[in-house]
Amino acid sequence: MLVMGILNVTPDSFADGGKHNELDAAVSRGLEMISEGVDIIDIGGESTRPGAERVDEEEELRRTIPVIEKIAPYVEKNGVKISIDTMRASVAKAAVKAGATIINDVSAGQSDQEMLSTAAKLNVPYIAMHWRGYSKDMNSKAVYRDVVSETISELEERIHAALSQGVKKENLIIDPGLGFAKDSEHNWAIIDAMDRFVDLGYPVLVGGSRKRFLGGDSPDQREEATINLTKKLKDTGIWAVRVHSVKPHKEVIGQ
Ligand code: PMM
C-alpha cells in the first residue's frame, strides 16, 4: 500500500501564510515528505473542503505550477511521483508539462468537459473520485438509500465515461470520495465495505485524512484517528491512502 502525501498550496495551508513564503514553504514540505518516504506527492491549489468557494484558473496555476517545477528534479531519483489535484484540464496539462505524472480529479471529469479527453491524451494515471458537486453545497447532496451501492454505481458511470473518452483501463484509479457529499455514517459504511470497491478491479485510493467524520474539534485533533483508519484499511487491498502526515502512515504500513 502506498502513501500519497498531501501538499495543499492554498492560503490557509501554511501557518505563516503570506504569498512571499508560500512557494518556499510548499517546496520544503514536499522535500520533507520525500525524506520521510512518501510515494506520491499530491499538489493542489484549490480547497475542496465543505463550503469552499472555487479559485480561478490563473490563481490555481500560480499556486501549483512553480511548486511542481521546483520539486520535480528531486522526485524521480527518489522513486517518488507527483500528482496534480485539480478539476481543470488546463491545470492538469500544465502540471504534467512541469513534472506531474498522475492526475487527481475529485470531480472524475464532471467539472471540466475537457478533462477526460485531456487525461487520455496525456496518457498518465487518472484518479476518478466519487463526486456529486462542488464543495459549496455538497453537504445537501449527502442523501442515499444505500450509500455503498450508489457510490459504486455512480463511480462505474465515471469509469465508463473515462474509458469511452480514451482513458486506458490501466491508467484508471478510483476513489470513493470520503467526506464528499457524505455524512459521517456514509463514510463509515463505505470504509466497512472497502472490499466491494477493491472488487471493481481498479486500484483504490482512500482519502480520509483529518476529515470531520473522524471526530475531534479541529483537523489536528484527528491525527490519531487518521492513523487508526490507515490501520483499518491496511489489509483491504487498497492501493494507497492520501494523508497529511507521511511518517506515521509509512510506519503503520510497515515499509
Ligand atoms: N480529499 C480532498 C482533496 N482531494 N482527492 C482524492 N482523490 N481523494 C480525497 O479524498 C480528496 C482529494 C480534501 O481534503 P483536504 O482538504 O484535506 O486536502
Side-chain angles (χ1 to χ4, degrees):
M1 185 162 115
L2 303 179
V3 171
M4 173 186 273
I6 300 168
L7 190 52
N8 285 333
V9 196
T10 50
D12 55 354
S13 310
F14 297 100
D16 56 355
K19 290 195 173 165
H20 187 66
N21 294 325
E22 194 182 74
L23 175 61
D24 288 346
V27 171
S28 57
R29 177 62 190 135
L31 299 184
E32 185 179 45
M33 288 200 280
I34 293 174
S35 73
E36 291 173 344
V38 77
D39 298 292
I40 301 155
I41 301 175
D42 189 42
I43 299 177
E46 174 170 6
S47 175
T48 48
R49 294 211 184 100
E53 298 280 346
R54 297 217 63 194
V55 295
D56 66 33
E57 179 183 344
E58 201 184 327
E59 177 65 7
E60 197 185 344
L61 288 164
R62 189 198 67 75
R63 290 179 186 174
T64 54
I65 304 305
V67 180
I68 297 172
E69 284 171 345
K70 287 225 170 184
I71 293 177
Y74 300 94
V75 295
E76 212 168 310
K77 61 173 182 257
N78 289 288
V80 176
K81 290 185 165 29
I82 295 172
S83 59
I84 175 71
D85 185 348
T86 187
M87 293 185 257
R88 289 192 169 101
S90 58
V91 176
K93 204 169 160 186
V96 169
K97 194 166 170 223
T101 55
I102 300 174
I103 300 166
N104 176 21
D105 174 12
V106 297
S107 81
Q110 296 175 92
S111 179
D112 184 338
Q113 296 270 309
E114 302 295 318
M115 180 58 107
L116 295 175
S117 58
T118 301
K121 264 188 231 127
L122 292 169
N123 192 21
V124 293
Y126 175 76
I127 300 165
M129 197 192 79
H130 178 258
W131 187 84
R132 282 187 163 183
Y134 295 105
S135 302
K136 200 170 184 305
D137 56 1
M138 68 179 168
N139 286 346
S140 66
K141 294 175 180 151
V143 182
Y144 301 86
R145 272 173 298 101
D146 175 343
V147 66
V148 174
S149 299
E150 285 168 65
T151 301
I152 287 175
S153 69
E154 288 167 30
L155 262 180
E156 281 176 326
E157 281 170 28
R158 301 319 304 157
I159 291 169
H160 180 72
L163 295 175
S164 63
Q165 291 279 322
V167 174
K168 289 182 187 147
K169 187 172 189 289
E170 62 267 29
N171 274 339
L172 255 186
I173 295 160
I174 56 171
D175 182 330
L178 296 180
F180 285 81
K182 292 169 194 81
D183 295 339
S184 185
E185 62 181 288
H186 298 138
N187 294 308
W188 287 112
I190 285 172
I191 290 164
D192 288 336
M194 200 50 72
D195 54 325
R196 289 183 56 192
F197 290 85
V198 172
D199 284 349
L200 293 174
Y202 294 89
V204 176
L205 171 67
V206 180
S209 189
R210 299 182 188 172
K211 287 184 180 171
R212 288 176 202 189
F213 73 93
L214 293 172
D217 292 331
S218 69
D220 285 347
Q221 288 178 20
R222 300 175 191 133
E223 183 56 14
E224 199 184 326
T226 303
I227 294 164
N228 287 334
L229 178 60
T230 295
K231 284 184 189 154
K232 195 173 160 68
L233 292 170
K234 191 180 155 203
D235 298 317
T236 57
I238 65 164
W239 169 72
V241 282
R242 180 182 180 277
V243 291
H244 294 86
S245 65
V246 171
K247 232 182 178 170
H249 296 275
K250 290 300 282 190
E251 279 166 18
V252 166
I253 295 165
Q255 289 169 343

